[in-house]
Amino acid sequence: MRLPRIRRANHTENPAAGADTPPDGRRRRRIDLPRAGRHGRRRWLPSWKLVSGLFLLSGGALAGLIVAIYLNVEFPDEHDSARRQATVYYWADGSRMVSVGDMNRQDVTLAQVPASLRNAVIAAENADFYSDSGVSVTGIARAAVNIVKGEETQGGSTITQQYVKNTYLSQDQTVSRKVKELFLSLKVSNRKPKSEILQGYLNTSWFGRDSYGVQAASYAYYGVPARDLNPGQGALLATLLKGADSYDPALSPANHKRAEDRWSWILDRQVETGLMSAGERAKYTSFPEPKPPVKPTSQAGQIGYLIDIANKYIKTRTGITDKDLAGGGYRVHTTFEKAKVRALAKAVEKVRAERLDPKKRAADRHVQVGAASVRPKDGAIVAVYGGSDAIEHFSNNADTSGVPAGSAFKPFVYAAALEHANARGQQAAGRGKPGQAVPTAAAVEPTTFMDLTQPLVDSDNTPFVQTGKTIGLKTVKKLAVASGLREESMAKLEPTFSIGTSTPSAVRLASAYTTFLNNGRATEPYSVTRMERDGAAVDGFEKPEARRAMEPKVAALVGTALQQVGWSALEPPKDRKIYYPVMAGKTGPNDRMKSAWFIGTTKELSTSVTMFRTKPDVPHLLPMNGVGGPGSERGSAFPPLIWAEYQRTAVPPPPVTDGTVSQGLGTVS
C-alpha cells in the first residue's frame, strides 16, 4: 500500500510573496537596521555591507559634487589695476588731505628674474611647487577652520593658490572665497605651465613699500632692477612675502630681527631642498641691508607722518593690513586739524632758523625735532610734527620710541608716590577700631611723603631716585602705563628708571599728561574717527573710553606742581602780558639724557615737544652738549620756545585785562 507523499513547506510556491519573502510572509528590508535575528546592542550595529555601501554612496556623491563645482567654476576677469580705487584721507573738517592710489607695479618676464631669487621664493613658500597639483587641501581646511574660529588664516597656500588670489579673487578671508580659490587653483594648474604661474605670482605679490611685484620691490629696497639682485638680496625679497608689515627691516628693531632670522632660514632652506649648494650658501653671511624707504611726493611735508599714524591706528583697531590699504577703496576720516598741523610745523621751523646754526656750530648738526598735540577732553591727536619732510626723513619723530624722557617722566613718579601714600593711609585707617569704616583713597590726605614739587621744578634727580626705591619701581611703572605710556617703551627697572630712562613717544607723553588735567582719568589717543569702503562703514572706530589711572586728589596735586614747572620754564612773551593756564613737564640742566623735552598741557591742548640728535649711521643718540650755543642747557631751552610759538598761533590766549587773572599761572608786568 503506497503512502501518500508529504509535501514540504516551500515559501517560493506562494506567488504573491516573491523570492525574498521569509517563511513568516514578511518582505526582507533593504536596510537591515535594527538587524533581524540580533539581540541587545548588536541589533543596532550596522553590518559591514551597510557601512561600505553608505561609504561608497557618500564618496560617489562627493566626487560628483566636486566634479560639478569644478566644471561650473569660471575664470573671472583678471584684476585691472586701471580700475583700482584710491584710498583717500580727510582732515578733521572733512576736506581732502591726500589720495593714495597709484599702483607701483612693473611686470617682468621670468627670464628677467634671477634663478637664485626664484629658488628662494620656492624654497620659502612652496618647496614642491613643480610637482604639486596646485593646491594644498590641508592648508585650505586649516584656513577654513581658522576662519570659523576667528583666528589667523595665513599660511598653507601654494604658490598657485596665492597667484589665483592675487590675480582673480579678493583678499577677503571667508570660507566661500577659500573654496573658490581651491577650484580655480586646480583649473589654473591644469591649464597653465608652472613657469607662467610663477611669473604671474612674482609680478602680483605684495612686498611692502607700496610695491606690487618683484621688479617694483627690487627698486624700492635696493634701487636696482630684479635681474641685478644677488642671492642674498633675493632671499630678503622672499622674506618679505611672509608679510612686509612684520619683515621690512627698516620699520623697527623687532622687524629687523625677524627679517634677519627668516633671511638666514631661507638660504639654509635652499640648501636643504637642493636649490643651492652649501658652498654658495657660505658666501652670504652678512645681512643685505636695504635702502631706507621713500614716500611718494604726495606725502611730502607732514602728510606722510600723518598717514603713518592713521594707518597704525587702523591696524590696531581692525584686521586691515598695509597690503589692504594699498589695495585702495577706503575713505579714512582723521582727527588731524590742518591749521594746527601747519602752525606746529611753522613753530618748529621758526625756532630752528632763529636758534640753530649748523654751518657755524657742529653741535647744531643732525638735530631732530618731534612734536604731538592731543585734545585733552577726548584724546584726539590734532597735530604732529614728525620731521622736516616725510619723503626725506622717513622716521616719524612724533611717534618714535627711542628718545629718553628724562625729567618729563618724573610727574608719574610723584603721582605714584602719592598713590602709595594714600594706600598706606587707607591701610592704617583700616587697622582702627572694630567695625570702623575704611575711607576711600581719595579721602586720605596724601601728606605722608615728602613734597616733590620743588625737586620737580629744579629737575633735582636725587629725591626721585630715592622715592622710586622706597615705593618700588614696579609701582611707578604700573602708574605710568595706566596713564597711557606703552609697556614696550618702559626701561629696565634700575635706580635711574625714576629719572626718565624710558623712551615714550611724543604722542604718548602728550596724551598721558592729560591725566593730570582730567581728574586722574586717562584716554587712549586716537587719530581716526571713521572709515568706509564701498559706502559701508568699517567697524572698530568708536571713541576710546576714559579709564581711572590715579585718584583725582593725586592728579590735582601733581597738576599744581606742574603749573609751577610751567611758570619757571616759559619766558615772558614780548607782545602779551599774560601766560597761558598751563601744566608743564620738562627736562632741565640736571638731566644727563641725550634729549630735551617740554610738555605743555592746557584745557584746549596737550602738546609735547622733543629735541635730540641722531645720525643714520650711528645707532645711538648723539650728545646735546653745545646745541644752540652757550646758555641752551643742552638744548632744553628750545622745546619750551617751540611750544609757546605754536600755542600762540594754534590757541589764541585769553584777552589781556587790567590786574591779575584768577586762573592760570599769573601775569607779568
Side-chain angles (χ1 to χ4, degrees), residues 30-198:
R30 293 186 180 277
I31 300 178
D32 187 20
L33 199 70
R35 298 177 66 183
R38 307 290 184 183
H39 302 282
R41 287 182 298 177
R42 297 183 62 190
R43 294 186 65 211
W44 298 98
L45 294 176
S47 67
W48 69 270
K49 291 182 179 179
L50 178 60
V51 171
S52 59
L54 289 175
F55 179 79
L56 291 173
L57 182 63
S58 300
L62 180 61
L65 178 62
I66 291 174
V67 171
I69 295 175
Y70 178 85
L71 293 175
N72 284 280
V73 169
E74 297 181 354
F75 279 99
D77 293 333
E78 292 189 10
H79 295 320
D80 185 356
S81 59
R83 295 198 301 265
R84 178 175 172 270
Q85 296 182 1
T87 289
V88 183
Y89 296 80
Y90 297 90
W91 294 103
D93 63 5
S95 60
R96 179 177 293 208
M97 179 197 304
V98 66
S99 176
V100 179
D102 293 333
M103 179 175 282
N104 183 19
R105 174 177 163 184
Q106 306 165 41
D107 288 354
V108 292
T109 64
L110 201 59
Q112 294 173 289
V113 180
S116 59
L117 174 52
R118 285 179 263 155
N119 290 339
V121 170
I122 290 171
E125 298 292 308
N126 187 182
D128 57 352
F129 167 69
Y130 284 109
S131 61
D132 67 22
S133 62
V135 300
S136 170
V137 177
T138 56
I140 288 281
R142 182 167 58 251
V145 170
N146 288 343
I147 290 170
V148 173
K149 294 168 63 178
E151 297 178 355
E152 180 65 43
T153 59
Q154 293 180 349
S157 294
T158 65
I159 284 176
T160 304
Q161 287 173 245
Q162 295 179 63
Y163 164 67
V164 165
K165 181 173 64 175
N166 294 343
T167 307
Y168 301 107
L169 302 175
S170 71
Q171 300 297 320
D172 296 336
Q173 298 291 351
T174 62
V175 173
S176 60
R177 206 274 295 152
K178 280 285 182 183
V179 171
K180 195 170 185 180
E181 174 191 306
L182 173 66
F183 288 100
L184 278 176
S185 298
L186 287 170
K187 279 197 169 184
V188 166
S189 187
N190 287 331
R191 294 186 182 183
K192 293 188 176 184
K194 291 288 187 177
S195 59
E196 186 176 339
I197 294 171
L198 181 59

